[in-house]
Every structure is written in structure tokens, then in C-alpha cells.
PDB file of all heavy atoms in Angstrom:
ATOM      1  N   GLY A 169      -3.322  -2.722  -8.772  1.00 94.00           N
ATOM      2  CA  GLY A 169      -2.189  -3.404  -9.380  1.00 94.00           C
ATOM      3  C   GLY A 169      -0.877  -2.861  -8.841  1.00 94.00           C
ATOM      4  O   GLY A 169      -0.851  -2.241  -7.780  1.00 94.00           O
ATOM      5  N   PRO A 170       0.218  -3.041  -9.580  1.00 92.00           N
ATOM      6  CA  PRO A 170       1.549  -2.696  -9.081  1.00 92.00           C
ATOM      7  C   PRO A 170       2.053  -1.281  -9.393  1.00 92.00           C
ATOM      8  O   PRO A 170       3.080  -0.862  -8.869  1.00 92.00           O
ATOM      9  CB  PRO A 170       2.437  -3.722  -9.780  1.00 92.00           C
ATOM     10  CG  PRO A 170       1.763  -3.932 -11.104  1.00 92.00           C
ATOM     11  CD  PRO A 170       0.279  -3.841 -10.803  1.00 92.00           C
ATOM     12  N   VAL A 171       1.374  -0.536 -10.246  1.00 93.00           N
ATOM     13  CA  VAL A 171       1.889   0.760 -10.694  1.00 93.00           C
ATOM     14  C   VAL A 171       1.565   1.841  -9.661  1.00 93.00           C
ATOM     15  O   VAL A 171       0.403   2.042  -9.308  1.00 93.00           O
ATOM     16  CB  VAL A 171       1.302   1.132 -12.075  1.00 93.00           C
ATOM     17  CG1 VAL A 171       1.751   2.523 -12.505  1.00 93.00           C
ATOM     18  CG2 VAL A 171       1.703   0.097 -13.113  1.00 93.00           C
ATOM     19  N   PRO A 172       2.601   2.546  -9.172  1.00 93.00           N
ATOM     20  CA  PRO A 172       2.382   3.588  -8.157  1.00 93.00           C
ATOM     21  C   PRO A 172       1.492   4.719  -8.662  1.00 93.00           C
ATOM     22  O   PRO A 172       1.486   5.047  -9.840  1.00 93.00           O
ATOM     23  CB  PRO A 172       3.795   4.130  -7.881  1.00 93.00           C
ATOM     24  CG  PRO A 172       4.738   3.154  -8.460  1.00 93.00           C
ATOM     25  CD  PRO A 172       4.009   2.426  -9.546  1.00 93.00           C
ATOM     26  N   VAL A 173       0.758   5.302  -7.723  1.00 96.00           N
ATOM     27  CA  VAL A 173      -0.089   6.462  -8.015  1.00 96.00           C
ATOM     28  C   VAL A 173       0.462   7.653  -7.241  1.00 96.00           C
ATOM     29  O   VAL A 173       0.722   7.566  -6.044  1.00 96.00           O
ATOM     30  CB  VAL A 173      -1.559   6.202  -7.610  1.00 96.00           C
ATOM     31  CG1 VAL A 173      -2.395   7.462  -7.773  1.00 96.00           C
ATOM     32  CG2 VAL A 173      -2.142   5.055  -8.425  1.00 96.00           C
ATOM     33  N   LEU A 174       0.662   8.754  -7.949  1.00 95.00           N
ATOM     34  CA  LEU A 174       1.081  10.010  -7.326  1.00 95.00           C
ATOM     35  C   LEU A 174      -0.059  11.009  -7.432  1.00 95.00           C
ATOM     36  O   LEU A 174      -0.764  11.046  -8.437  1.00 95.00           O
ATOM     37  CB  LEU A 174       2.299  10.611  -8.046  1.00 95.00           C
ATOM     38  CG  LEU A 174       3.588   9.817  -8.058  1.00 95.00           C
ATOM     39  CD1 LEU A 174       4.659  10.597  -8.802  1.00 95.00           C
ATOM     40  CD2 LEU A 174       4.044   9.501  -6.671  1.00 95.00           C
ATOM     41  N   VAL A 175      -0.212  11.806  -6.400  1.00 93.00           N
ATOM     42  CA  VAL A 175      -1.174  12.900  -6.427  1.00 93.00           C
ATOM     43  C   VAL A 175      -0.369  14.187  -6.540  1.00 93.00           C
ATOM     44  O   VAL A 175       0.556  14.413  -5.753  1.00 93.00           O
ATOM     45  CB  VAL A 175      -2.056  12.901  -5.158  1.00 93.00           C
ATOM     46  CG1 VAL A 175      -2.995  14.087  -5.175  1.00 93.00           C
ATOM     47  CG2 VAL A 175      -2.824  11.594  -5.044  1.00 93.00           C
ATOM     48  N   ALA A 176      -0.692  14.989  -7.527  1.00 92.00           N
ATOM     49  CA  ALA A 176      -0.003  16.265  -7.737  1.00 92.00           C
ATOM     50  C   ALA A 176      -0.906  17.396  -7.260  1.00 92.00           C
ATOM     51  O   ALA A 176      -2.071  17.469  -7.645  1.00 92.00           O
ATOM     52  CB  ALA A 176       0.348  16.447  -9.210  1.00 92.00           C
ATOM     53  N   VAL A 177      -0.365  18.240  -6.400  1.00 87.00           N
ATOM     54  CA  VAL A 177      -1.106  19.398  -5.903  1.00 87.00           C
ATOM     55  C   VAL A 177      -0.215  20.625  -5.992  1.00 87.00           C
ATOM     56  O   VAL A 177       1.014  20.518  -6.003  1.00 87.00           O
ATOM     57  CB  VAL A 177      -1.582  19.193  -4.439  1.00 87.00           C
ATOM     58  CG1 VAL A 177      -2.610  18.082  -4.358  1.00 87.00           C
ATOM     59  CG2 VAL A 177      -0.427  18.894  -3.521  1.00 87.00           C
ATOM     60  N   ARG A 178      -0.845  21.785  -6.061  1.00 83.00           N
ATOM     61  CA  ARG A 178      -0.080  23.045  -6.086  1.00 83.00           C
ATOM     62  C   ARG A 178       0.059  23.548  -4.668  1.00 83.00           C
ATOM     63  O   ARG A 178      -0.903  23.601  -3.915  1.00 83.00           O
ATOM     64  CB  ARG A 178      -0.782  24.076  -6.942  1.00 83.00           C
ATOM     65  CG  ARG A 178      -0.814  23.597  -8.368  1.00 83.00           C
ATOM     66  CD  ARG A 178      -0.610  24.566  -9.453  1.00 83.00           C
ATOM     67  NE  ARG A 178       0.403  25.541  -9.516  1.00 83.00           N
ATOM     68  CZ  ARG A 178       1.621  25.367 -10.071  1.00 83.00           C
ATOM     69  NH1 ARG A 178       1.986  24.211 -10.505  1.00 83.00           N
ATOM     70  NH2 ARG A 178       2.444  26.367 -10.183  1.00 83.00           N
ATOM     71  N   GLU A 179       1.295  23.879  -4.306  1.00 80.00           N
ATOM     72  CA  GLU A 179       1.561  24.415  -2.970  1.00 80.00           C
ATOM     73  C   GLU A 179       2.591  25.527  -3.102  1.00 80.00           C
ATOM     74  O   GLU A 179       3.686  25.316  -3.625  1.00 80.00           O
ATOM     75  CB  GLU A 179       2.101  23.295  -2.068  1.00 80.00           C
ATOM     76  CG  GLU A 179       2.316  23.739  -0.637  1.00 80.00           C
ATOM     77  CD  GLU A 179       2.727  22.584   0.249  1.00 80.00           C
ATOM     78  OE1 GLU A 179       1.899  21.706   0.493  1.00 80.00           O
ATOM     79  OE2 GLU A 179       3.901  22.577   0.677  1.00 80.00           O
ATOM     80  N   ASN A 180       2.220  26.723  -2.650  1.00 83.00           N
ATOM     81  CA  ASN A 180       3.103  27.889  -2.723  1.00 83.00           C
ATOM     82  C   ASN A 180       3.643  28.112  -4.132  1.00 83.00           C
ATOM     83  O   ASN A 180       4.813  28.402  -4.320  1.00 83.00           O
ATOM     84  CB  ASN A 180       4.266  27.746  -1.737  1.00 83.00           C
ATOM     85  CG  ASN A 180       3.795  27.684  -0.305  1.00 83.00           C
ATOM     86  OD1 ASN A 180       2.800  28.299   0.054  1.00 83.00           O
ATOM     87  ND2 ASN A 180       4.499  26.931   0.519  1.00 83.00           N
ATOM     88  N   GLY A 181       2.790  27.928  -5.141  1.00 84.00           N
ATOM     89  CA  GLY A 181       3.177  28.185  -6.522  1.00 84.00           C
ATOM     90  C   GLY A 181       3.938  27.060  -7.190  1.00 84.00           C
ATOM     91  O   GLY A 181       4.278  27.156  -8.361  1.00 84.00           O
ATOM     92  N   SER A 182       4.230  25.984  -6.484  1.00 87.00           N
ATOM     93  CA  SER A 182       4.949  24.848  -7.052  1.00 87.00           C
ATOM     94  C   SER A 182       4.049  23.626  -7.067  1.00 87.00           C
ATOM     95  O   SER A 182       3.146  23.498  -6.246  1.00 87.00           O
ATOM     96  CB  SER A 182       6.191  24.519  -6.223  1.00 87.00           C
ATOM     97  OG  SER A 182       7.082  25.590  -6.227  1.00 87.00           O
ATOM     98  N   GLU A 183       4.336  22.718  -7.996  1.00 87.00           N
ATOM     99  CA  GLU A 183       3.602  21.461  -8.022  1.00 87.00           C
ATOM    100  C   GLU A 183       4.351  20.442  -7.169  1.00 87.00           C
ATOM    101  O   GLU A 183       5.554  20.253  -7.327  1.00 87.00           O
ATOM    102  CB  GLU A 183       3.469  20.959  -9.459  1.00 87.00           C
ATOM    103  CG  GLU A 183       2.466  19.854  -9.597  1.00 87.00           C
ATOM    104  CD  GLU A 183       2.025  19.679 -11.033  1.00 87.00           C
ATOM    105  OE1 GLU A 183       2.813  19.120 -11.813  1.00 87.00           O
ATOM    106  OE2 GLU A 183       0.910  20.106 -11.359  1.00 87.00           O
ATOM    107  N   VAL A 184       3.627  19.818  -6.245  1.00 89.00           N
ATOM    108  CA  VAL A 184       4.203  18.845  -5.321  1.00 89.00           C
ATOM    109  C   VAL A 184       3.578  17.489  -5.615  1.00 89.00           C
ATOM    110  O   VAL A 184       2.368  17.379  -5.793  1.00 89.00           O
ATOM    111  CB  VAL A 184       3.912  19.256  -3.856  1.00 89.00           C
ATOM    112  CG1 VAL A 184       4.447  18.227  -2.884  1.00 89.00           C
ATOM    113  CG2 VAL A 184       4.494  20.628  -3.562  1.00 89.00           C
ATOM    114  N   TYR A 185       4.424  16.448  -5.676  1.00 90.00           N
ATOM    115  CA  TYR A 185       3.959  15.084  -5.931  1.00 90.00           C
ATOM    116  C   TYR A 185       3.983  14.288  -4.640  1.00 90.00           C
ATOM    117  O   TYR A 185       5.000  14.227  -3.958  1.00 90.00           O
ATOM    118  CB  TYR A 185       4.849  14.388  -6.962  1.00 90.00           C
ATOM    119  CG  TYR A 185       4.785  15.060  -8.315  1.00 90.00           C
ATOM    120  CD1 TYR A 185       5.680  16.058  -8.654  1.00 90.00           C
ATOM    121  CD2 TYR A 185       3.826  14.687  -9.252  1.00 90.00           C
ATOM    122  CE1 TYR A 185       5.631  16.676  -9.897  1.00 90.00           C
ATOM    123  CE2 TYR A 185       3.761  15.308 -10.495  1.00 90.00           C
ATOM    124  CZ  TYR A 185       4.667  16.287 -10.804  1.00 90.00           C
ATOM    125  OH  TYR A 185       4.601  16.898 -12.021  1.00 90.00           O
ATOM    126  N   ILE A 186       2.851  13.659  -4.330  1.00 92.00           N
ATOM    127  CA  ILE A 186       2.728  12.850  -3.121  1.00 92.00           C
ATOM    128  C   ILE A 186       2.401  11.426  -3.553  1.00 92.00           C
ATOM    129  O   ILE A 186       1.387  11.197  -4.224  1.00 92.00           O
ATOM    130  CB  ILE A 186       1.618  13.388  -2.206  1.00 92.00           C
ATOM    131  CG1 ILE A 186       1.902  14.849  -1.854  1.00 92.00           C
ATOM    132  CG2 ILE A 186       1.473  12.523  -0.958  1.00 92.00           C
ATOM    133  CD1 ILE A 186       0.705  15.587  -1.298  1.00 92.00           C
ATOM    134  N   LYS A 187       3.260  10.480  -3.179  1.00 93.00           N
ATOM    135  CA  LYS A 187       3.016   9.081  -3.544  1.00 93.00           C
ATOM    136  C   LYS A 187       1.952   8.500  -2.617  1.00 93.00           C
ATOM    137  O   LYS A 187       2.054   8.589  -1.398  1.00 93.00           O
ATOM    138  CB  LYS A 187       4.299   8.266  -3.444  1.00 93.00           C
ATOM    139  CG  LYS A 187       4.121   6.833  -3.902  1.00 93.00           C
ATOM    140  CD  LYS A 187       5.429   6.093  -3.887  1.00 93.00           C
ATOM    141  CE  LYS A 187       5.231   4.653  -4.326  1.00 93.00           C
ATOM    142  NZ  LYS A 187       6.480   3.908  -4.292  1.00 93.00           N
ATOM    143  N   SER A 188       0.931   7.905  -3.226  1.00 94.00           N
ATOM    144  CA  SER A 188      -0.150   7.308  -2.453  1.00 94.00           C
ATOM    145  C   SER A 188       0.327   6.028  -1.783  1.00 94.00           C
ATOM    146  O   SER A 188       0.957   5.186  -2.414  1.00 94.00           O
ATOM    147  CB  SER A 188      -1.333   6.996  -3.373  1.00 94.00           C
ATOM    148  OG  SER A 188      -2.315   6.272  -2.661  1.00 94.00           O
ATOM    149  N   ARG A 189       0.010   5.883  -0.518  1.00 94.00           N
ATOM    150  CA  ARG A 189       0.302   4.637   0.194  1.00 94.00           C
ATOM    151  C   ARG A 189      -0.810   3.622  -0.019  1.00 94.00           C
ATOM    152  O   ARG A 189      -0.599   2.426   0.122  1.00 94.00           O
ATOM    153  CB  ARG A 189       0.460   4.901   1.686  1.00 94.00           C
ATOM    154  CG  ARG A 189       1.691   5.695   2.011  1.00 94.00           C
ATOM    155  CD  ARG A 189       1.842   5.851   3.497  1.00 94.00           C
ATOM    156  NE  ARG A 189       2.968   6.717   3.781  1.00 94.00           N
ATOM    157  CZ  ARG A 189       3.282   7.109   4.983  1.00 94.00           C
ATOM    158  NH1 ARG A 189       2.559   6.737   6.019  1.00 94.00           N
ATOM    159  NH2 ARG A 189       4.317   7.891   5.177  1.00 94.00           N
ATOM    160  N   ARG A 190      -1.985   4.111  -0.345  1.00 94.00           N
ATOM    161  CA  ARG A 190      -3.152   3.229  -0.476  1.00 94.00           C
ATOM    162  C   ARG A 190      -3.349   2.708  -1.889  1.00 94.00           C
ATOM    163  O   ARG A 190      -3.770   1.580  -2.097  1.00 94.00           O
ATOM    164  CB  ARG A 190      -4.406   3.963  -0.030  1.00 94.00           C
ATOM    165  CG  ARG A 190      -5.637   3.129  -0.227  1.00 94.00           C
ATOM    166  CD  ARG A 190      -6.874   3.754   0.309  1.00 94.00           C
ATOM    167  NE  ARG A 190      -8.012   2.892  -0.011  1.00 94.00           N
ATOM    168  CZ  ARG A 190      -9.239   3.207   0.214  1.00 94.00           C
ATOM    169  NH1 ARG A 190      -9.533   4.355   0.776  1.00 94.00           N
ATOM    170  NH2 ARG A 190     -10.205   2.395  -0.111  1.00 94.00           N
ATOM    171  N   TYR A 191      -3.061   3.542  -2.891  1.00 95.00           N
ATOM    172  CA  TYR A 191      -3.424   3.191  -4.257  1.00 95.00           C
ATOM    173  C   TYR A 191      -2.210   2.848  -5.119  1.00 95.00           C
ATOM    174  O   TYR A 191      -1.199   3.545  -5.097  1.00 95.00           O
ATOM    175  CB  TYR A 191      -4.188   4.336  -4.925  1.00 95.00           C
ATOM    176  CG  TYR A 191      -5.501   4.630  -4.257  1.00 95.00           C
ATOM    177  CD1 TYR A 191      -5.631   5.685  -3.372  1.00 95.00           C
ATOM    178  CD2 TYR A 191      -6.608   3.822  -4.496  1.00 95.00           C
ATOM    179  CE1 TYR A 191      -6.841   5.937  -2.746  1.00 95.00           C
ATOM    180  CE2 TYR A 191      -7.817   4.071  -3.868  1.00 95.00           C
ATOM    181  CZ  TYR A 191      -7.926   5.125  -2.993  1.00 95.00           C
ATOM    182  OH  TYR A 191      -9.113   5.375  -2.368  1.00 95.00           O
ATOM    183  N   ALA A 192      -2.360   1.765  -5.860  1.00 95.00           N
ATOM    184  CA  ALA A 192      -1.468   1.359  -6.944  1.00 95.00           C
ATOM    185  C   ALA A 192      -2.390   0.666  -7.943  1.00 95.00           C
ATOM    186  O   ALA A 192      -3.381   0.047  -7.550  1.00 95.00           O
ATOM    187  CB  ALA A 192      -0.371   0.435  -6.447  1.00 95.00           C
ATOM    188  N   VAL A 193      -2.090   0.777  -9.226  1.00 95.00           N
ATOM    189  CA  VAL A 193      -3.045   0.332 -10.242  1.00 95.00           C
ATOM    190  C   VAL A 193      -2.385  -0.508 -11.330  1.00 95.00           C
ATOM    191  O   VAL A 193      -1.163  -0.504 -11.495  1.00 95.00           O
ATOM    192  CB  VAL A 193      -3.733   1.546 -10.907  1.00 95.00           C
ATOM    193  CG1 VAL A 193      -4.564   2.325  -9.910  1.00 95.00           C
ATOM    194  CG2 VAL A 193      -2.728   2.445 -11.593  1.00 95.00           C
ATOM    195  N   ASN A 194      -3.236  -1.207 -12.070  1.00 93.00           N
ATOM    196  CA  ASN A 194      -2.838  -1.803 -13.343  1.00 93.00           C
ATOM    197  C   ASN A 194      -3.072  -0.729 -14.389  1.00 93.00           C
ATOM    198  O   ASN A 194      -4.157  -0.144 -14.435  1.00 93.00           O
ATOM    199  CB  ASN A 194      -3.698  -3.027 -13.679  1.00 93.00           C
ATOM    200  CG  ASN A 194      -3.235  -4.267 -12.963  1.00 93.00           C
ATOM    201  OD1 ASN A 194      -2.044  -4.567 -12.942  1.00 93.00           O
ATOM    202  ND2 ASN A 194      -4.161  -4.984 -12.366  1.00 93.00           N
ATOM    203  N   LEU A 195      -2.072  -0.469 -15.213  1.00 86.00           N
ATOM    204  CA  LEU A 195      -2.254   0.539 -16.258  1.00 86.00           C
ATOM    205  C   LEU A 195      -3.221   0.018 -17.296  1.00 86.00           C
ATOM    206  O   LEU A 195      -3.084  -1.100 -17.783  1.00 86.00           O
ATOM    207  CB  LEU A 195      -0.917   0.872 -16.918  1.00 86.00           C
ATOM    208  CG  LEU A 195       0.019   1.708 -16.082  1.00 86.00           C
ATOM    209  CD1 LEU A 195       1.279   2.010 -16.865  1.00 86.00           C
ATOM    210  CD2 LEU A 195      -0.642   2.993 -15.646  1.00 86.00           C
ATOM    211  N   ASP A 196      -4.180   0.822 -17.609  1.00 88.00           N
ATOM    212  CA  ASP A 196      -5.226   0.437 -18.548  1.00 88.00           C
ATOM    213  C   ASP A 196      -5.775   1.719 -19.155  1.00 88.00           C
ATOM    214  O   ASP A 196      -6.043   2.677 -18.431  1.00 88.00           O
ATOM    215  CB  ASP A 196      -6.307  -0.335 -17.787  1.00 88.00           C
ATOM    216  CG  ASP A 196      -7.354  -0.911 -18.702  1.00 88.00           C
ATOM    217  OD1 ASP A 196      -8.125  -0.125 -19.299  1.00 88.00           O
ATOM    218  OD2 ASP A 196      -7.405  -2.142 -18.814  1.00 88.00           O
ATOM    219  N   PHE A 197      -5.954   1.720 -20.472  1.00 89.00           N
ATOM    220  CA  PHE A 197      -6.475   2.932 -21.112  1.00 89.00           C
ATOM    221  C   PHE A 197      -7.884   3.246 -20.650  1.00 89.00           C
ATOM    222  O   PHE A 197      -8.296   4.392 -20.618  1.00 89.00           O
ATOM    223  CB  PHE A 197      -6.408   2.820 -22.639  1.00 89.00           C
ATOM    224  CG  PHE A 197      -5.018   3.015 -23.170  1.00 89.00           C
ATOM    225  CD1 PHE A 197      -4.328   1.973 -23.740  1.00 89.00           C
ATOM    226  CD2 PHE A 197      -4.404   4.253 -23.070  1.00 89.00           C
ATOM    227  CE1 PHE A 197      -3.044   2.152 -24.214  1.00 89.00           C
ATOM    228  CE2 PHE A 197      -3.117   4.440 -23.527  1.00 89.00           C
ATOM    229  CZ  PHE A 197      -2.435   3.382 -24.113  1.00 89.00           C
ATOM    230  N   GLN A 198      -8.643   2.227 -20.270  1.00 94.00           N
ATOM    231  CA  GLN A 198      -9.990   2.459 -19.750  1.00 94.00           C
ATOM    232  C   GLN A 198      -9.919   3.283 -18.465  1.00 94.00           C
ATOM    233  O   GLN A 198     -10.692   4.220 -18.273  1.00 94.00           O
ATOM    234  CB  GLN A 198     -10.686   1.124 -19.497  1.00 94.00           C
ATOM    235  CG  GLN A 198     -12.123   1.268 -19.060  1.00 94.00           C
ATOM    236  CD  GLN A 198     -12.771  -0.090 -18.805  1.00 94.00           C
ATOM    237  OE1 GLN A 198     -12.167  -1.138 -18.985  1.00 94.00           O
ATOM    238  NE2 GLN A 198     -14.016  -0.051 -18.372  1.00 94.00           N
ATOM    239  N   LEU A 199      -8.979   2.948 -17.585  1.00 95.00           N
ATOM    240  CA  LEU A 199      -8.786   3.712 -16.349  1.00 95.00           C
ATOM    241  C   LEU A 199      -8.343   5.132 -16.666  1.00 95.00           C
ATOM    242  O   LEU A 199      -8.909   6.097 -16.155  1.00 95.00           O
ATOM    243  CB  LEU A 199      -7.756   3.024 -15.446  1.00 95.00           C
ATOM    244  CG  LEU A 199      -7.292   3.836 -14.232  1.00 95.00           C
ATOM    245  CD1 LEU A 199      -8.445   4.125 -13.280  1.00 95.00           C
ATOM    246  CD2 LEU A 199      -6.170   3.109 -13.510  1.00 95.00           C
ATOM    247  N   LEU A 200      -7.329   5.268 -17.495  1.00 93.00           N
ATOM    248  CA  LEU A 200      -6.804   6.592 -17.825  1.00 93.00           C
ATOM    249  C   LEU A 200      -7.883   7.472 -18.446  1.00 93.00           C
ATOM    250  O   LEU A 200      -8.047   8.630 -18.060  1.00 93.00           O
ATOM    251  CB  LEU A 200      -5.605   6.444 -18.767  1.00 93.00           C
ATOM    252  CG  LEU A 200      -4.653   7.608 -18.868  1.00 93.00           C
ATOM    253  CD1 LEU A 200      -4.115   8.027 -17.508  1.00 93.00           C
ATOM    254  CD2 LEU A 200      -3.512   7.285 -19.802  1.00 93.00           C
ATOM    255  N   ASN A 201      -8.652   6.910 -19.364  1.00 94.00           N
ATOM    256  CA  ASN A 201      -9.720   7.684 -20.006  1.00 94.00           C
ATOM    257  C   ASN A 201     -10.811   8.067 -19.010  1.00 94.00           C
ATOM    258  O   ASN A 201     -11.333   9.184 -19.059  1.00 94.00           O
ATOM    259  CB  ASN A 201     -10.303   6.909 -21.187  1.00 94.00           C
ATOM    260  CG  ASN A 201      -9.345   6.847 -22.353  1.00 94.00           C
ATOM    261  OD1 ASN A 201      -8.470   7.701 -22.505  1.00 94.00           O
ATOM    262  ND2 ASN A 201      -9.487   5.826 -23.169  1.00 94.00           N
ATOM    263  N   ALA A 202     -11.161   7.165 -18.099  1.00 95.00           N
ATOM    264  CA  ALA A 202     -12.186   7.468 -17.091  1.00 95.00           C
ATOM    265  C   ALA A 202     -11.713   8.594 -16.180  1.00 95.00           C
ATOM    266  O   ALA A 202     -12.483   9.501 -15.844  1.00 95.00           O
ATOM    267  CB  ALA A 202     -12.511   6.223 -16.281  1.00 95.00           C
ATOM    268  N   LEU A 203     -10.444   8.552 -15.778  1.00 95.00           N
ATOM    269  CA  LEU A 203      -9.908   9.607 -14.909  1.00 95.00           C
ATOM    270  C   LEU A 203      -9.883  10.949 -15.632  1.00 95.00           C
ATOM    271  O   LEU A 203     -10.221  11.981 -15.053  1.00 95.00           O
ATOM    272  CB  LEU A 203      -8.505   9.233 -14.424  1.00 95.00           C
ATOM    273  CG  LEU A 203      -8.437   8.050 -13.459  1.00 95.00           C
ATOM    274  CD1 LEU A 203      -6.986   7.661 -13.208  1.00 95.00           C
ATOM    275  CD2 LEU A 203      -9.146   8.358 -12.161  1.00 95.00           C
ATOM    276  N   LYS A 204      -9.500  10.942 -16.907  1.00 94.00           N
ATOM    277  CA  LYS A 204      -9.481  12.189 -17.675  1.00 94.00           C
ATOM    278  C   LYS A 204     -10.884  12.757 -17.834  1.00 94.00           C
ATOM    279  O   LYS A 204     -11.083  13.959 -17.781  1.00 94.00           O
ATOM    280  CB  LYS A 204      -8.838  11.949 -19.047  1.00 94.00           C
ATOM    281  CG  LYS A 204      -7.353  11.760 -18.972  1.00 94.00           C
ATOM    282  CD  LYS A 204      -6.765  11.548 -20.342  1.00 94.00           C
ATOM    283  CE  LYS A 204      -5.255  11.457 -20.268  1.00 94.00           C
ATOM    284  NZ  LYS A 204      -4.641  11.451 -21.598  1.00 94.00           N
TER     285      LYS A 204
END
């Protein structure tokens, strides 16, 4: 869907956010719960 996906990773003690070029989603509690 249209909602951007960011991947958060730790680098040198800081959290870095990387915007995915491939993935964007429809927000859905089913998706959020499955990911959790």
C-alpha cells in the first residue's frame, strides 16, 4: 500500500532509520500484530 516502511538498526550506539525503497504497506492491525 501507500504507507512508507522504515527499517531501524543500531549503528555505533545510535538508532538509524532507513526508508525502504521496495516496501510500502496498507496499515492494518493484522499486519502490525503479525510483525510483533
Side-chain angles (χ1 to χ4, degrees):
V171 176
V173 174
L174 298 181
V175 177
V177 294
R178 296 219 47 90
E179 184 175 291
N180 298 327
S182 298
E183 193 162 76
V184 177
Y185 296 91
I186 303 164
K187 184 176 179 181
S188 173
R189 292 184 185 175
R190 176 175 177 186
Y191 296 100
V193 296
N194 279 313
L195 286 182
D196 187 292
F197 284 112
Q198 184 181 358
L199 170 63
L200 200 55
N201 289 335
L203 292 172
K204 287 181 176 189

